[in-house]
Amino acid sequence: MNTHYQHIPQPPHSAGEPYKGLRPRIDPNQIPSPVDAIEADKDAWESQMYMTLPGNNPPLSTTDFVAFDQGNSNPKYMRVSTWNIPNSAHLARECEIPLAVVVQPLADLDPREESVPLVDCGESGPPRCAQCRGYINPWCVWTAGGSRWRCNLCGHETEVSQEYFCNIDANFMRMDHADRPELNKGTVDFVASSEDYWSPPPLPKLTPTYFSTDLPSTTARKPRPMNYLFAFDVSVEAVESGLLKSVCGTLLDLLYGGEAANGTLFDPCFPRGCGIGILTFDRTLHFYNLSSTLSQASVMVLADLDEIFVPLRDGMFVDPWESRTVIEGLLSSLPERNSMTSLREASLGAALIAGLASLAGMGGHIVIFQSTLPTVGPGALDPLTDESRVYGTEKETTLFLPRDRLWRDVAEECAEEGIGVSLFLGMSKTIDIGSIGIVSSITGGAVYFHPRFKPSRDQIVLASQLRRLITRTTVYNCIMRIRCSYGLRISKYYGNFHERSLTDLEAGVWDADKAFSASFEHTRTLDERQYAYLQCALLYTTTDGQRRVRTCNLALQVVSLAGSVFRYADMDATVCHLARQAMTDLSSRRMAQIREELTERCSSILLGYRRNCAGATAASQLIIPEAFRGLPVYTLAITKTKPLKGRTVSADVRNYYARKILSMGVRSTMQHLYPRLLALHDLEDTIALPNETTGQIGLPSLMGNSHVYMEARGVYLIDNEEYMIFWVGSGVSRQVLYDLFGVQDLLALDSNMTYLPVLDTRLSQQVHNILAHRYNQRGYTPQILLARQNMDGMEIEFSDMLVEDQNNGAMSYLDYLCLVHKQINTAVTQGISISGGPSLRGSPW
């Protein structure tokens, strides 16, 4: 006999916005659910291989699919907003789908997929078009008996060099076609050993940022193994919070291996051949000579922050294994050496310039651990005044811009020198990420945010983040460009990089977790009988010092019917691009305007489908195309993100999440916007456990993100890529508590829990298998938190993640659908457009 359980109400502290006016009739049971689409896609694609030839709709980014590269890049590398390109700008405007491509060129592949082939075409480098400089790819055509090839991007015919020549067969294919990965695969790495591919020197500055006895280099930078510079804030805040001690211990473990909390040993993971340097700073800079000939590190102090230079010639960067004794001694002693400090200031700007000076001419990665607002030295910042006064005014945009020009200037100079900067922030007060965060954004680095750092709570996460930063695929000295075939052009790029020209993007470092997007547009009408092409080229240096070019290619069908455009639309790419646009606009437009425009963009896409594909239906009926069934809830989710939400959020939090979303891959973006919610209290006995015959693990189905689907007797796990929160209902059974947490009473649960205990129960094993699967997917562990119903403050954060509810200063999903329906209905009955003009601006919604 099944017992009926009462679903819980939404907590009263979830502040949202009610629907205004008369509500159109929408059956709650007919609301399209993104979870249904996600689960259906998993069922369809996790048991079969996706073939990448044009004409197929790819799996969703949230599915663990296996792709076979047939000349089009794996969707993990490139996704477009529609896989059928409109043949004209007029049709594109009619459909209202933004034409965009999202590129994650170094994305991690599924272990079952083929790795990217490495192609060495000799000293001359990869064959390139003599006109547009595009790279050889599977979609080029061979002419003149194989002595020329026609570029699929611009149509120009280029002579084939003698060493690359091969005869062609009766099908106009080269005889060695099967042996040439660059002629078969959409994604390849080319060896680029020629000096033509080395990084060019930056242009000389009228006023140098730092002082050097060496003349500025005028020659290209020779590829070499990457150097890491770890810079530690040693002010009072860093010492007292425990951040300095935590990061020194973590770095030692990563360099030389160590023992985990559960007693298991782990191997060192620092890349072999890479150099390491160490810098500490407060009101002064401390450079360390780590030479292996010394018994311990010697320090040189630079007190004049107005004239920064590197006082070391040798011993600044060393092999961590050759200088192991020196590095271990230094990192072990730093916390104790600075334990009695009384200096509260730390000049982050000076540390950055010192890092730039030490890595200039080489490139590399600066990893900084900072605990306090930089109030001294270059780029000194005053504490922020009451930021709540500027919300809703024209000055709101200043919160997302650096308050001192130096931060942008240093960031651009680092990017030009091939230097990336990553920041680990563990502060107790505001630190102005709007200013200092731009250094990471422009150089391709990352920001890691640990407000009110506590080792007992944050150490596990910080160690996981630092391990991921070092072990993931990372390259440096990067230049990127997307080329389009004739009739299309790139109009704008979105993401974290330095846009050094209208066509080229530059980044000091780039890694497997970073993505960017680009919008493109028509320059003429396209021929439906031919494909449209996109090619992304990333020129980079590997951590072991090899210069390479990675090319990702897409061939896309061209159509003249709106129905075909919508049928092959890609909601994941569209949502990801809209989120990036919204984050980019924060520095130039008010948040309320961005939220309003996002709603209009969503309504316009659905209106475009209605007018062109479902014109015969009644105006009172809400019609949503199959490809965009989840678009309204994902658009609502963008408006509820921390950077855009209407309620009080600190400027640091808004800036941190805005920069994070700008660099996220498609999968991470979708799972951040609509967090994965699981019910753990009623898992089936066989779920999340290895199958006896196949050994594979089946994962439980997800739930809709709303309190409507939850019960007081339940235990739920929600995961938005930043936090994993276990929500425990007030009516949960003692058995579930014991099986999962090892306690039998709700009050006995530790509200400060940072990890899930390993217990000898089936439920514990199931949940640990789910967590292990997610760790393998993303390579790091988000912060684990606990929220007990009506007991813990963390329940507010949990409730805010339930994007279908009325919260975050915004509507519920049902109310939002009513608003979208009302906009579309008004546009249809009055024959007007939603976006692109003032026709509907200022309406009641």
Side-chain angles (χ1 to χ4, degrees):
M1 177 179 171
N2 291 328
T3 307
H4 178 71
Y5 291 96
Q6 187 67 38
H7 292 292
I8 63 171
Q10 183 175 341
H13 51 61
S14 297
E17 181 183 334
Y19 183 84
K20 299 180 180 70
L22 295 174
R23 185 198 302 272
R25 281 188 58 192
I26 294 181
D27 184 355
N29 297 318
Q30 298 298 316
I31 292 178
S33 167
V35 170
D36 292 343
I38 290 169
E39 294 299 329
D41 196 72
K42 286 181 178 177
D43 292 341
W45 286 109
E46 288 190 351
S47 58
Q48 63 171 315
M49 185 175 286
Y50 170 68
M51 314 301 280
T52 67
L53 277 178
N56 297 320
N57 249 347
L60 297 178
S61 62
T62 47
T63 300
D64 291 325
F65 63 90
V66 175
F68 183 76
D69 190 335
Q70 295 178 298
N72 259 3
S73 277
N74 190 322
K76 294 182 178 75
Y77 294 128
M78 291 182 84
R79 294 186 85 98
V80 282
S81 53
T82 175
W83 298 84
N84 274 2
I85 300 296
N87 70 333
S88 66
H90 174 74
L91 180 59
R93 284 193 300 271
E94 287 287 307
C95 294
E96 294 279 4
I97 299 174
L99 295 181
V101 56
V102 185
V103 188
Q104 191 174 352
L106 300 175
D108 290 330
L109 294 178
D110 190 286
R112 298 166 291 176
E113 293 176 327
E114 291 180 339
S115 58
V116 176
L118 179 62
V119 179
D120 189 348
C121 296
E123 189 62 33
S124 59
R128 300 182 66 179
C129 174
Q131 181 166 291
C132 73
R133 304 301 290 157
Y135 291 85
I136 192 85
N137 63 80
W139 305 101
C140 297
V141 178
W142 300 96
T143 62
S147 61
R148 301 174 72 87
W149 60 276
R150 184 183 304 124
C151 177
N152 60 311
L153 299 170
C154 67
H156 180 78
E157 291 193 5
T158 302
E159 291 281 347
V160 176
S161 63
Q162 273 191 329
E163 57 269 23
Y164 196 72
F165 174 78
C166 181
N167 290 310
I168 58 176
D169 60 19
N171 296 317
F172 299 99
M173 304 282 280
R174 282 172 58 117
M175 305 289 284
D176 63 352
H177 179 86
D179 302 322
R180 290 277 186 186
E182 70 272 25
L183 306 182
N184 291 283
K185 302 297 181 183
T187 305
V188 295
D189 276 327
F190 290 106
V191 174
S193 54
S194 166
E195 289 190 27
D196 295 339
Y197 291 92
W198 292 4
S199 297
L203 296 174
K205 301 284 188 295
L206 290 175
T207 54
T209 312
Y210 56 89
F211 288 82
S212 174
T213 55
D214 299 325
L215 292 173
S217 175
T218 56
T219 58
R221 294 193 292 274
K222 183 178 180 180
R224 65 179 75 199
M226 187 155 108
N227 286 324
Y228 286 84
L229 177 65
F230 293 94
F232 302 95
D233 171 359
V234 291
S235 64
V236 169
E237 178 79 30
V239 174
E240 291 182 348
S241 69
L243 178 67
L244 180 61
K245 185 175 181 180
S246 290
V247 297
C248 286
T250 299
L251 185 54
L252 275 173
D253 289 344
L254 297 179
L255 287 172
Y256 306 115
E259 186 175 332
N262 58 8
T264 58
L265 299 175
F266 53 84
D267 295 328
C269 60
F270 193 75
R272 289 280 182 173
C274 292
I276 179 175
I278 293 175
L279 174 79
T280 58
F281 61 97
D282 40 39
R283 292 184 66 93
T284 57
L285 296 173
H286 318 127
F287 297 84
Y288 294 90
N289 186 338
L290 304 176
S291 175
S292 59
T293 58
L294 301 175
S295 58
Q296 64 179 26
S298 62
V299 60
M300 301 189 76
V301 179
L302 188 65
D304 185 357
L305 301 186
D306 293 327
E307 296 185 358
I308 295 172
F309 65 97
V310 180
L312 294 173
R313 278 208 174 265
D314 299 313
M316 183 73 190
F317 293 99
V318 297
D319 185 297
W321 289 99
E322 292 179 2
S323 300
R324 177 171 182 171
T325 305
V326 178
I327 293 172
E328 282 183 330
L330 175 62
L331 290 177
S332 301
S333 65
L334 276 179
E336 181 64 30
R337 187 184 296 183
N338 294 279
S339 60
M340 303 302 291
T341 183
S342 60
L343 297 175
R344 296 194 168 274
E345 301 91 357
S347 178
L348 175 63
L352 274 171
I353 294 172
L356 168 62
S358 62
L359 288 168
M362 299 186 293
H365 197 168
I366 305 173
V367 184
I368 300 182
F369 303 91
Q370 177 82 6
S371 293
T372 184
L373 180 74
T375 55
V376 295
L381 299 167
D382 297 323
L384 280 166
T385 53
D386 185 10
E387 61 192 53
S388 60
R389 294 181 181 177
V390 304
Y391 287 122
T393 70
E394 293 302 323
K395 291 184 177 180
E396 190 179 82
T397 58
T398 60
L399 295 174
F400 301 93
L401 294 167
R403 291 188 288 147
D404 191 302
R405 176 72 198 182
L406 176 125
W407 299 100
R408 181 180 293 277
D409 290 343
V410 170
E412 291 177 355
E413 195 168 347
C414 282
E416 291 169 2
E417 289 280 5
I419 301 168
V421 180
S422 292
L423 298 172
F424 284 81
L425 306 176
M427 62 293 172
S428 60
K429 300 176 183 176
T430 58
I431 202 167
D432 196 359
I433 297 179
S435 294
I436 67 176
I438 195 171
V439 181
S440 290
S441 298
I442 287 181
T443 63
V447 176
Y448 300 94
F449 192 54
H450 297 278
R452 299 179 184 87
F453 182 85
K454 285 176 61 178
S456 59
R457 179 191 64 205
D458 300 313
Q459 167 66 30
I460 295 174
V461 181
L462 184 142
S464 177
Q465 291 170 338
L466 189 53
R467 173 176 287 270
R468 177 65 180 167
L469 180 141
I470 288 174
T471 58
R472 65 190 174 192
T473 302
T474 303
V475 299
Y476 75 112
N477 273 326
C478 309
I479 299 174
M480 294 170 282
R481 177 187 285 195
I482 297 179
R483 294 177 172 88
C484 304
S485 56
Y486 185 52
L488 297 173
R489 71 175 176 194
I490 298 294
S491 54
K492 190 171 182 181
Y493 291 100
Y494 301 87
N496 288 342
F497 44 73
H498 173 41
E499 200 163 354
R500 70 172 188 172
S501 69
L502 293 176
T503 57
D504 289 357
L505 310 178
E506 203 165 33
V509 294
W510 201 264
D511 60 68
D513 297 331
K514 295 284 188 303
F516 67 97
S517 71
S519 55
F520 56 94
E521 61 190 13
H522 291 79
T523 57
R524 69 176 186 93
T525 301
L526 305 179
D527 187 349
E528 292 175 65
R529 296 167 298 177
Q530 298 180 351
Y531 289 136
Y533 301 98
L534 296 173
Q535 183 182 82
C536 173
L538 167 64
L539 175 61
Y540 64 91
T541 305
T542 62
T543 52
D544 59 356
Q546 297 183 44
R547 197 70 173 157
R548 294 178 183 174
V549 181
R550 173 163 294 190
T551 60
C552 301
N553 297 277
L554 280 184
L556 304 165
Q557 291 182 326
V558 178
V559 296
S560 59
L561 297 176
S564 300
V565 177
F566 278 98
R567 183 184 171 195
Y568 285 90
D570 190 310
M571 185 187 69
D572 290 13
T574 304
V575 169
C576 191
H577 182 68
L578 290 177
R580 274 180 163 74
Q581 280 186 317
M583 298 305 130
T584 303
D585 288 345
L586 282 168
S587 59
S588 59
R589 306 181 61 192
R590 287 167 45 209
M591 287 180 276
Q593 293 176 325
I594 297 171
R595 291 194 296 268
E596 183 178 335
E597 184 164 310
L598 277 167
T599 301
E600 291 179 354
R601 294 292 296 273
C602 172
S603 300
S604 296
I605 291 172
L606 302 185
L607 176 62
Y609 178 77
R610 183 189 190 93
R611 280 182 168 161
N612 294 284
C613 308
T617 53
S620 59
Q621 193 173 351
L622 179 61
I623 305 295
I624 300 180
E626 189 65 31
F628 285 123
R629 287 184 65 77
L631 182 63
V633 72
Y634 280 109
T635 308
L636 174 64
I638 297 173
T639 68
K640 290 186 176 186
T641 55
K642 291 281 198 298
L644 284 172
K645 66 185 290 187
R647 300 290 166 177
T648 304
V649 178
S650 74
D652 276 352
V653 172
R654 289 189 190 273
N655 275 287
Y656 166 67
Y657 280 98
R659 297 180 193 284
K660 185 180 177 75
I661 292 170
L662 270 172
S663 68
M664 277 180 166
V666 180
R667 181 182 197 141
S668 297
T669 303
M670 301 304 282
Q671 292 176 342
H672 178 72
L673 294 177
Y674 194 91
R676 292 175 284 181
L677 180 63
L678 282 178
L680 303 179
H681 56 283
D682 57 1
L683 293 177
E684 297 176 16
D685 290 351
T686 58
I687 206 74
L689 293 174
N691 185 291
E692 292 181 0
T693 55
T694 64
Q696 292 184 332
I697 292 178
L699 297 170
S701 299
L702 302 177
M703 293 173 52
N705 280 4
S706 172
H707 280 94
V708 171
Y709 309 113
M710 295 171 61
E711 301 164 348
R713 71 182 182 101
V715 177
Y716 299 89
L717 171 64
I718 197 165
D719 181 353
N720 74 344
E721 304 289 297
E722 184 79 11
Y723 298 117
M724 287 196 293
I725 302 179
F726 287 91
W727 184 92
V728 185
S730 57
V732 66
S733 74
R734 288 174 176 268
Q735 188 62 50
V736 170
L737 277 178
Y738 182 76
D739 287 350
L740 191 55
F741 301 107
V743 299
Q744 292 188 326
D745 188 271
L746 196 61
L747 295 174
L749 269 177
D750 181 8
S751 60
N752 297 317
M753 179 188 80
T754 57
Y755 63 93
L756 189 67
V758 179
L759 305 173
D760 191 19
T761 64
R762 186 183 67 235
L763 180 59
S764 178
Q765 187 180 350
Q766 288 174 307
V767 176
H768 275 284
N769 285 342
I770 292 169
L771 298 184
H773 173 75
R774 294 190 178 179
Y775 177 82
N776 289 334
Q777 281 185 331
R778 59 188 162 211
Y780 66 93
T781 302
Q783 190 163 10
I784 292 179
L785 301 165
L786 181 73
R788 293 169 293 181
Q789 187 181 6
N790 299 327
M791 291 177 67
D792 297 319
M794 193 48 63
E795 192 178 16
I796 297 176
E797 186 70 33
F798 176 86
S799 299
D800 283 351
M801 290 189 201
L802 301 177
V803 293
E804 293 190 25
D805 288 338
Q806 182 180 302
N807 52 26
N808 292 292
M811 298 179 182
S812 69
Y813 179 29
L814 177 60
D815 288 347
Y816 190 74
L817 265 183
C818 294
L819 169 62
V820 169
H821 185 197
K822 188 173 182 179
Q823 287 192 357
I824 295 172
N825 193 13
T826 303
V828 169
T829 54
Q830 297 183 13
I832 56 178
S833 65
I834 293 175
S835 60
S839 54
L840 291 183
R841 292 290 170 99
S843 297
W845 54 78

